[in-house]
C-alpha cells in the first residue's frame, strides 16, 4: 500500500463518519415533534413541550453548523499539509523527539481550542442562556479554560512523555509499559478524581446533617452499604441541569449530589436516585467498566505497537520525517472504525447496566420515586423524549425515559 492510498483511506473514514452522523441526526430530528406516548404525557405541559422542541431544533442546527465547519477545517488541514507545517515548527525548536512531540501536540491543541472556543462560548452564553440553563459567568468560563489546559499539560503531557520514552527505550515492547502506566493512571483517577481534580473546578461540601442525610443513611444500612462520604457539588454555578454520580471504590467510594438535584427533587426521589447509584456499585458495574476500559486500552496499544514504526503512517499525513507523534495521529484516525464498534458494544452494556441499577433501586427501595425523579430531571433539562431508535442505538449510554419507565413498571 502506498502513502497516497492510505491518505485517501483516512479521508474516506472522516467523510463516512460525518455522513453517518448526519443521517442519524436527520432521522432523529424527524421525531422532534412526535406526540408523547401516554406514559410521558405528564412530563411536559403544552408550553413546556413546545419549549423542549425548540431547544432540540436549535441544538440540532447548531450541531450541524459546527460539525460541517469542523469537517471543512479538517479536510483543509489534510490537503494543505498542515501536519508537515506544524511538525516543521516543532522541529525548529528542538532535536529531542519528546520535546518535538510535546510542542507539536501543544500547537495542534491550542489552535483547535482557539478555533472552537467561539462555538463553545455561543453554546453556553446564547443557546443555554436563551433556554434558562446557563449560570456560568464569563470569569468562570475563562478560568475553566485555563484550568483545563493546565490539567491537560501536566497529566496529558506527562503520560505522553513517558509513552514516547518507553518507545525509544524498548521499541515494539513499549505497549506493555504504556499499558501498565495507563492502567495505573486509570485506577488512580477512578479512586481520587473527585478528591484531586473536581475541587479545581467546583466546591464540594459534605451533605449536612438533617432529614435527607438520615434517610440516605437508613437506606444504606438496609442494603449493607457503608457510605460515609456524601458530598454536594455546586453545579448551579454553571447550569441549572442536575446530576448525581458515584465514584471510587473501597475506602474512597463516595456519592456526589449536585445542589440542583437537591433543589429539584424531594427526599424520597433523591434516595431513589442514590439507590440506583448504589445498584451500579453492588452489581459491580464500576469494576466491569474499568476492567473493560483497561483491556481495550491494552488491545489498542498492542495494535499500535505493530504499526507505529511503519513510515507509511507519517507519510500518509504528508510528513516526510517519520515520527511517533505523527504515526500516533494517523493510527488514531485509521483505528476510529474499530473504536466506533467497541463504543457501540460498551453502550449496549451500559444500557443493560442502567436497567439493572434501576431494578436494584426498585427492589431495595421503591419504583415510583425513581420514575418521578427521572421525569423531573428530563423535564428540567428539556430532554428529547422521542428519539429515533437508530440514534439511541448509536449514541445513548442510557435507555430512553420511556424504556426505563416500562422496565420499572414491568
Amino acid at each position: 500500500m502506498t502513502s497516497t492510498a492510505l491518505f485517501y483511506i483516512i479521508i474516506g473514514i472522516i467523510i463516512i463518519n460525518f455522513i453517518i452522523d448526519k443521517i442519524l441526526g436527520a432521522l432523529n430530528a424527524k421525531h422532534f415533534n412526535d406526540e408523547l406516548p401516554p406514559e410521558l404525557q405528564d412530563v411536559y405541559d403544552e408550553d413546556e413541550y413546545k419549549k423542549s422542541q425548540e431547544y432540540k431544533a436549535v441544538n440540532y442546527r447548531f450541531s450541524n453548523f459546527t460539525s460541517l465547519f469542523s469537517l471543512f477545517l479538517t479536510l483543509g488541514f489534510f490537503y494543505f499539509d498542515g501536519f508537515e507545517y506544524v511538525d516543521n515548527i516543532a522541529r525548529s525548536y528542538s532535536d529531542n523527539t519528546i520535546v518535538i512531540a510535546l510542542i507539536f501536540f501543544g500547537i495542534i491543541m491550542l489552535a483547535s481550542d482557539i478555533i472552537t472556543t467561539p462555538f463553545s462560548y455561543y453554546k453556553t452564553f446564547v443557546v443555554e442562556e436563551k433556554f434558562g440553563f446557563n449560570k456560568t459567568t464569563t470569569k468562570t468560563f475563562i478560568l475553566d479554560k485555563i484550568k483545563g489546559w493546565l490539567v491537560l499539560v501536566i497529566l496529558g503531557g506527562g503520560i505522553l512523555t513517558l509513552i514516547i520514552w518507553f518507545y525509544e527505550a524498548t521499541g515494539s515492547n513499549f505497549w506493555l509499559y504504556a499499558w501498565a502506566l495507563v492502567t495505573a493512571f486509570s485506577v488512580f483517577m477512578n479512586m481520587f478524581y473527585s478528591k484531586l481534580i473536581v475541587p479545581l473546578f467546583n466546591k464540594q461540601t459534605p451533605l449536612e446533617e438533617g432529614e435527607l442525610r438520615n434517610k440516605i443513611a437508613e437506606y444504606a444500612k438496609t442494603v449493607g452499604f457503608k457510605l460515609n462520604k456524601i458530598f454536594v457539588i455546586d453545579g448551579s454555578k454553571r447550569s441549572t441541569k442536575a446530576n448525581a454520580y458515584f465514584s471510587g471504590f473501597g475506602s474512597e467510594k463516595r456519592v456526589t449530589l449536585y445542589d440542583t438535584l437537591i433543589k429539584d427533587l424531594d427526599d424520597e426521589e433523591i434516595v431513589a436516585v442514590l439507590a440506583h447509584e448504589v445498584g451500579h456499585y453492588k452489581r459491580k458495574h464500576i469494576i466491569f467498566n474499568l476492567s473493560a476500559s483497561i483491556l481495550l486500552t491494552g488491545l489498542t496499544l498492542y495494535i499500535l505497537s505493530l504499526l507505529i514504526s511503519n513510515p507509511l503512517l507519517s507519510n500518509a499525513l504528508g510528513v516526510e520525517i517519520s515520527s511517533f507523534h505523527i504515526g500516533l495521529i494517523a493510527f488514531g484516525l485509521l483505528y476510529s472504525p474499530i473504536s466506533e464498534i467497541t463504543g457501540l458494544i460498551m453502550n449496549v452494556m451500559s444500557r443493560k447496566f442502567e436497567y439493572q441499577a434501576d431494578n436494584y433501586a426498585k427492589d431495595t427501595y421503591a419504583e415510583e420515586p425513581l420514575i418521578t425523579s427521572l421525569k423531573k430531571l428530563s423535564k428540567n433539562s428539556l430532554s428529547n423524549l422521542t428519539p429515533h431508535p437508530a440514534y439511541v442505538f448509536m449514541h445513548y449510554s442510557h435507555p430512553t425515559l420511556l424504556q426505563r419507565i416500562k422496565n420499572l413498571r414491568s
Side-chain angles (χ1 to χ4, degrees):
M1 181 182 291
T2 66
S3 59
T4 302
L6 197 57
F7 171 82
Y8 284 109
I9 288 173
I10 291 172
I11 295 297
I13 289 172
I14 293 171
I15 293 174
I16 289 170
N17 282 342
F18 175 82
I19 291 171
I20 291 173
D21 186 62
K22 292 304 104 184
I23 290 172
L24 287 170
L27 287 173
N28 199 44
K30 287 184 177 180
H31 289 258
F32 284 169
N33 297 323
D34 285 1
E35 184 178 348
L36 292 176
E39 295 91 341
L40 305 180
Q41 291 284 347
D42 59 341
V43 175
Y44 296 118
D45 61 30
E46 187 176 347
D47 290 338
E48 289 166 342
Y49 190 46
K50 287 180 180 178
K51 184 179 179 181
S52 78
Q53 290 169 317
E54 184 186 358
Y55 182 62
K56 288 179 286 191
V58 168
N59 275 305
Y60 175 62
R61 291 192 296 269
F62 181 70
S63 173
N64 281 342
F65 176 78
T66 55
S67 59
L68 190 63
F69 177 85
S70 177
L71 176 69
F72 283 123
L73 189 68
T74 302
L75 294 179
F77 196 76
F78 272 84
Y79 276 102
F80 292 103
D81 294 328
F83 292 109
E84 169 82 352
Y85 179 73
V86 176
D87 191 56
N88 287 337
I89 293 175
R91 291 182 183 280
S92 70
Y93 286 97
S94 176
D95 293 325
N96 183 284
T97 53
I98 292 176
V99 175
I100 292 170
L102 292 174
I103 294 173
F104 175 85
F105 281 113
I107 293 171
I108 293 287
M109 299 187 80
L110 179 62
S112 175
D113 199 58
I114 290 172
I115 291 169
T116 58
T117 290
F119 297 110
S120 177
Y121 188 91
Y122 182 88
K123 168 73 172 171
T124 301
F125 293 99
V126 178
V127 176
E128 295 294 291
E129 185 79 33
K130 177 181 178 180
F131 291 92
F133 292 130
N134 180 50
K135 296 297 178 182
T136 305
T137 63
T138 303
K139 178 183 177 181
T140 299
F141 182 85
I142 294 171
L143 285 176
D144 282 351
K145 281 284 180 185
I146 296 171
K147 292 174 185 177
W149 265 99
L150 288 174
V151 171
L152 182 62
V153 167
I154 294 169
L155 297 181
I159 291 174
L160 179 64
T161 297
L162 287 172
I163 289 176
I164 297 176
W165 184 73
F166 291 148
Y167 174 70
E168 293 182 342
T170 66
S172 60
N173 289 326
F174 86 94
W175 74 276
L176 288 168
Y177 300 93
W179 190 19
L181 171 67
V182 174
T183 298
F185 179 76
S186 298
V187 172
F188 179 83
M189 292 304 291
N190 195 281
M191 291 280 288
F192 299 106
Y193 177 81
S194 294
K195 182 180 288 187
L196 299 178
I197 304 299
V198 172
L200 298 175
F201 299 89
N202 288 89
K203 182 180 179 182
Q204 298 177 113
T205 55
L207 178 64
E208 61 185 21
E209 297 293 335
E211 188 174 354
L212 175 58
R213 190 177 182 97
N214 292 338
K215 287 182 178 179
I216 291 173
E218 184 179 336
Y219 167 75
K221 186 177 180 181
T222 63
V223 295
F225 187 77
K226 187 178 180 181
L227 184 60
N228 299 322
K229 298 177 180 179
I230 308 171
F231 287 86
V232 179
I233 191 172
D234 59 340
S236 59
K237 71 183 287 186
R238 290 183 180 83
S239 175
T240 62
K241 295 178 181 178
N243 196 9
Y245 63 90
F246 194 99
S247 60
F249 42 84
S251 61
E252 290 300 324
K253 64 178 183 285
R254 62 162 67 189
V255 166
T256 302
L257 307 173
Y258 278 52
D259 55 356
T260 46
L261 185 85
I262 295 175
K263 176 178 175 290
D264 292 344
L265 306 184
D266 63 36
D267 288 358
E268 297 297 317
E269 290 166 338
I270 293 172
V271 177
V273 170
L274 181 68
H276 170 93
E277 298 300 328
V278 171
H280 281 307
Y281 186 88
K282 287 284 190 176
R283 295 289 182 258
K284 296 182 170 51
H285 297 159
I286 295 170
I287 299 296
F288 176 89
N289 287 335
L290 181 60
S291 300
S293 175
I294 289 170
L295 289 173
L296 286 172
T297 299
L299 174 65
T300 305
L301 287 169
Y302 173 69
I303 298 173
L304 174 65
S305 72
L306 300 177
L307 303 174
I308 192 65
S309 298
N310 194 327
L312 269 179
L313 289 178
S314 295
N315 298 156
L317 299 188
V319 181
E320 291 184 12
I321 304 174
S322 178
S323 64
F324 184 93
H325 60 276
I326 300 294
L328 187 62
I329 291 178
F331 173 80
L333 294 165
L334 289 167
Y335 192 75
S336 61
I338 299 176
S339 295
E340 286 289 333
I341 293 171
T342 55
L344 285 175
I345 295 171
M346 291 303 292
N347 274 347
V348 169
M349 292 303 301
S350 177
R351 291 192 293 267
K352 180 181 178 182
F353 290 165
E354 291 302 318
Y355 284 133
Q356 291 178 0
D358 281 351
N359 290 339
Y360 184 87
K362 177 174 71 173
D363 295 339
T364 61
Y365 192 65
E367 65 186 71
E368 282 306 317
L370 183 56
I371 290 172
T372 56
S373 70
L374 292 173
K375 287 183 175 180
K376 284 183 181 179
L377 293 174
S378 295
K379 172 187 174 182
N380 292 347
S381 60
L382 298 180
S383 296
N384 181 12
L385 303 185
T386 56
H388 191 279
Y391 193 88
V392 172
F393 177 75
M394 292 293 290
H395 292 295
Y396 277 38
S397 61
H398 286 52
T400 65
L401 177 61
L402 180 61
Q403 289 171 330
R404 294 180 73 175
I405 290 174
K406 285 183 175 180
N407 171 67
L408 282 165
R409 286 181 173 162
S410 63

